[in-house]
Amino acid sequence: MFMGASTKEGHEIAVKSREIVRSLISEQIKHLKPDEQAVVERIVHSTADPEYAELTKISENFLEESLKSIKGNGDILTDIKMVKVGITSYPGKVKCYIDHPLAYKIAREREITRAAAAMEVALKEGFHGMVVIGNSPTSLMKVIELQEQHPDRIRSVVGVPVGFVGAAESKKSLQETSIPYLITEGPKGGTPVAVAATNALINLSKE
Amino acid sequence: MFMGASTKEGHEIAVKSREIVRSLISEQIKHLKPDEQAVVERIVHSTADPEYAELTKISENFLEESLKSIKGNGDILTDIKMVKVGITSYPGKVKCYIDHPLAYKIAREREITRAAAAMEVALKEGFHGMVVIGNSPTSLMKVIELQEQHPDRIRSVVGVPVGFVGAAESKKSLQETSIPYLITEGPKGGTPVAVAATNALINLSKE
């Protein structure tokens, strides 16, 4: 599978797309390591938005820690189902607790979002691995809070929530922690960015 | 439910976000009808990308035909699962055939993408309603081809495939048909745009 393509026509489209992506962003990403470049290329391929070459920031240890977790079939925890179903070809578990009864209960009782409550449920249910937040700033803030209590269980975070309220701030907060991260600066981000980054990492883990 | 929020905190975020969205794009969308404005606002809210106020183009009859289909609980057919799981609170059926055995078979035999093959499967399986393409240009081209054979069964199309290869062209082709459409011009688009537009229509159908 190359960049999500599973048929001949899909493969041809992916090859042409990669050429275009490289012509658009190779200058902007030349300071990155080859594996980091592959991740950013996949994000720009998936969003058709070259601005992500500038917006994507990757911490020094993110690739190494994420690949370790993935190679060991560690869990991948997503904030919402749209992210979960986009992560294909992973032999480990892809988890999402937003529909869990306990997430409903916690959200109602404490008046927080279900996506945030779902992060607490995940830790209770034994999550250990990489977190992928593609939508919810409140979910990312909860992960940062939980990491202080469980520093060994959150290996790395793809933190690309989207929106005009709280998203930029939540990503800035993640950058200030010791958690290995990939983020997109500012309000932009979203499920395709989260899925593209994660699938790129899964592909790299197989090389 | 307001703009996808199901809790108090989520609701407050959505209200603030709508204010910001309006301050950013109200000038650009003032020529649109109120229902069309609501759809574009939801797209910009979901992507945090004001450029969609310019890129989104809606045909004269799109809102009317889509709302008729939705109010009658017509099918909603998506190209990929990420779009399907994002469409919440719809009392009718949300269908996706990309994992159907026949989609695999057709894709393999004719060397086309599975997302395109899945559109043929849908028509064979009795689809009647609105089509929502959030990812695959080849899927949108297939819908245009199928509409000529089944002019009564495809009521409207949210056509927002994404990518540097074929996406812009496929959306231009849709605009040249008689199918009621919503598109995003150029390479940009994607699953959050598709989901936002569809959920906005579902909300409008309940007003």
Side-chain angles (χ1 to χ4, degrees):
Chain A
M1 198 180 75
F2 173 64
M3 289 179 123
S6 63
T7 60
K8 192 182 165 199
E9 188 178 11
H11 186 82
E12 285 167 2
I13 293 169
V15 170
K16 267 188 226 163
S17 173
R18 184 161 74 173
E19 282 167 23
I20 296 169
V21 168
R22 289 197 169 160
S23 73
L24 288 168
I25 66 165
S26 61
E27 270 304 303
Q28 285 151 284
I29 62 170
K30 68 180 178 192
H31 64 287
L32 299 176
K33 297 171 214 163
D35 281 358
E36 294 172 344
Q37 290 183 358
V39 173
V40 177
E41 282 175 4
R42 179 76 175 249
I43 292 171
V44 173
H45 162 80
S46 292
T47 57
D49 188 344
E51 204 186 341
Y52 283 110
E54 291 293 348
L55 298 180
T56 305
K57 303 293 170 194
I58 302 174
S59 74
E60 180 60 33
N61 50 354
F62 172 77
L63 257 288
E64 195 189 331
E65 291 302 320
S66 299
L67 289 177
K68 257 195 241 169
S69 181
I70 288 172
K71 282 178 183 171
N73 285 343
D75 298 332
I76 294 178
L77 171 65
T78 73
D79 57 342
I80 64 168
K81 282 181 285 177
M82 276 182 75
V83 177
K84 179 179 169 165
V85 300
I87 299 169
T88 49
S89 317
Y90 185 53
K93 281 185 185 147
V94 185
K95 298 177 167 179
C96 178
Y97 293 93
I98 196 160
D99 281 342
H100 193 285
L102 189 54
Y104 279 91
K105 186 166 178 282
I106 292 171
R108 201 173 41 238
E109 284 176 4
R110 288 199 250 133
E111 295 189 340
I112 62 172
T113 67
R114 263 205 292 143
M119 296 295 121
E120 289 193 21
V121 179
L123 270 296
K124 271 187 216 298
E125 296 284 323
F127 163 77
H128 189 293
M130 186 170 86
V131 180
V132 183
I133 306 292
N135 187 261
S136 159
T138 55
S139 189
L140 180 52
M141 292 308 294
K142 180 59 81 178
V143 169
I144 294 168
E145 180 194 321
L146 290 167
Q147 208 266 348
E148 287 170 22
Q149 300 158 38
H150 309 278
D152 52 326
R153 289 170 62 192
I154 296 166
R155 305 282 298 271
S156 71
V157 175
V158 173
V160 294
V162 61
F164 293 110
V165 182
E169 296 79 356
S170 71
K171 291 179 277 193
K172 223 167 173 25
S173 298
L174 176 62
Q175 286 186 290
E176 286 157 9
T177 70
S178 61
I179 309 171
Y181 67 80
L182 179 151
I183 62 132
T184 51
E185 286 182 325
K188 282 172 69 173
T191 53
V193 178
V195 166
T198 309
N199 285 334
L201 291 167
I202 293 169
N203 273 10
L204 287 169
S205 77
K206 293 172 181 168
E207 277 175 9
Chain B
M1 198 180 75
F2 173 65
M3 290 179 124
S6 64
T7 59
K8 192 183 165 198
E9 187 177 10
H11 185 81
E12 284 167 6
I13 293 169
V15 169
K16 269 188 224 162
S17 173
R18 184 161 74 173
E19 282 167 24
I20 296 169
V21 168
R22 288 195 171 160
S23 73
L24 287 168
I25 67 165
S26 61
E27 271 303 302
Q28 284 151 287
I29 62 170
K30 67 180 179 190
H31 64 287
L32 299 177
K33 297 172 213 163
D35 281 358
E36 293 172 344
Q37 289 183 359
V39 173
V40 176
E41 282 175 2
R42 178 77 177 248
I43 293 171
V44 173
H45 161 81
S46 293
T47 56
D49 188 344
E51 204 186 340
Y52 283 112
E54 291 292 348
L55 298 179
T56 305
K57 303 293 170 192
I58 301 174
S59 74
E60 179 62 32
N61 49 355
F62 172 77
L63 256 287
E64 193 188 331
E65 292 302 319
S66 300
L67 288 177
K68 257 194 240 170
S69 180
I70 287 172
K71 283 179 183 170
N73 284 344
D75 298 331
I76 295 178
L77 171 65
T78 72
D79 56 343
I80 63 168
K81 281 180 285 180
M82 275 182 74
V83 178
K84 180 178 169 166
V85 300
I87 299 170
T88 48
S89 317
Y90 185 53
K93 282 188 185 144
V94 184
K95 298 177 168 180
C96 178
Y97 293 93
I98 196 160
D99 281 341
H100 193 285
L102 189 54
Y104 279 91
K105 187 167 179 280
I106 292 171
R108 201 171 43 238
E109 283 177 4
R110 289 199 249 134
E111 297 189 340
I112 62 173
T113 66
R114 263 206 292 144
M119 296 293 122
E120 289 192 20
V121 178
L123 270 295
K124 272 188 216 298
E125 296 285 323
F127 163 78
H128 190 293
M130 187 169 85
V131 180
V132 183
I133 306 292
N135 187 262
S136 159
T138 55
S139 188
L140 180 52
M141 292 308 294
K142 180 58 80 177
V143 169
I144 294 169
E145 181 194 320
L146 290 167
Q147 208 266 349
E148 287 171 21
Q149 300 157 39
H150 308 279
D152 52 327
R153 289 170 62 193
I154 296 166
R155 304 283 297 272
S156 71
V157 176
V158 173
V160 294
V162 62
F164 293 111
V165 182
E169 297 79 355
S170 71
K171 291 179 276 192
K172 224 170 169 48
S173 297
L174 176 62
Q175 286 187 290
E176 287 159 8
T177 69
S178 61
I179 309 171
Y181 67 81
L182 179 152
I183 63 131
T184 50
E185 285 182 325
K188 282 171 69 174
T191 53
V193 179
V195 166
T198 308
N199 284 335
L201 291 166
I202 293 169
N203 273 9
L204 287 169
S205 76
K206 292 173 182 169
E207 279 176 6

